[in-house]
Amino acid sequence: MLEIYRKALSDLEHDGRLRALAPRLGHDFSSNDYLALAESTELAQAVQAALERGVPVGAGGSRLLRGNHQEHEMLEEEVARFFGAESALYFGGGFPANSALFATLPQAGDLILYDELIHASAHDGMRMSRAERQSVAHNDPQAFEDALKAHKGRGRVWLAVESLYSMDGDIAPLGDLMALADKYQAMLVIDEAHATGVLGPDGRGLTSAFEGAENVICLHTCGKALGGMGGLVCLAKPLKDYMINRARPFIFATAPSPLMAGVVRASLKLCQEQPQRRERLAALVDFTGQRLRKMGVAPSGSQIQPIIVGAPDAAVALAKKLQAKGYDIRAIRPPTVPEGTSRLRLAITLHVDEEVMGRMLDDLAQVWSP
Ligand SMILES: Cc1ncc(COP(=O)(O)O)c(C=O)c1O
């Protein structure tokens, strides 16, 4: 009865793509807890304070029913203020937030032009959308413009990108894309998942220059640098109201934990009050970049550094060697990344310092060269 599943698993194993859960072991080079907030005393205290003021752990229902809590509304108000948006909508995760926005907002007859490296959550949303979709070469504004020019339909065009790409650590040409969106009256959707909290003034991400624009929608996730959980869609008020009425993952789901909403509010406050976390991280990224250059590896310039290996088996074998030396480094394989680009994804976080980073790179250089 389970034969097809066993066969699929053995095929994955044969292709070097079988995945299994593994415990956290060794120095953190793989989490997205870039600012080390997830385990911070500050956020633990925020949980305690929220519990003391009576904030419930669970929402008990959909936001459209009794699940709507003052903590959600306070968070959304604070988020809109912080990110300079007209309004914000809080989801239990970045994935449902992103897939909901793509599934809900583009209409039949619209076209979504998406960067070929965009996250799985956007793909899932687009699959559910009634709009057409078309992939565009990575980080290539000319390719976006060519596709915009070629669009003959009467519907709206949506441009979909990440600001800081999750697997390559490179940055989208947002200024050019914003100019295209304005020129062609397109909507621009920017996933800030890996930039939120880390980049931009006060950690407001790379879209801070376009804050408040009616044709820009930003996704900020709370489970990465903000150290909590959830997804925040920043958008114009009519679009928020439309999502409240039409987004199935919002309507037919238990609302996010009000306690977590309180925690995320505390994270945003820490982003403003503790610039030293971002400064420390930037210094560590700089240090890592200098060391990588000496090894013949081009630094990404951000806290996400790919070490491209090629074949899935080879990436897994390299990760295992480094794990054996005490570093929690994971191999990333297709379909998460394109064929032939299996890699180690080094995440640079405040859980390590220059000494550990230096040692890890020395150990890496002993078993691998570009
Ligand atoms: C670019 C990007 N967008 C969205 C998500 C989903 O966010 P979350 O982890 O909060 O569900 C991720 C998570 O890996 C991501 O990397």
Side-chain angles (χ1 to χ4, degrees), residues 32 93-96 98 119 121 162 164 166-167 191 193-194 219 221-224 229-231:
N32 300 315
F95 197 111
N98 209 21
H119 192 255
S121 51
E162 292 176 26
L164 171 62
S166 60
M167 292 296 148
D191 180 347
H194 294 272
L219 172 76
T221 62
C222 317
K224 304 185 194 300
M229 196 176 173

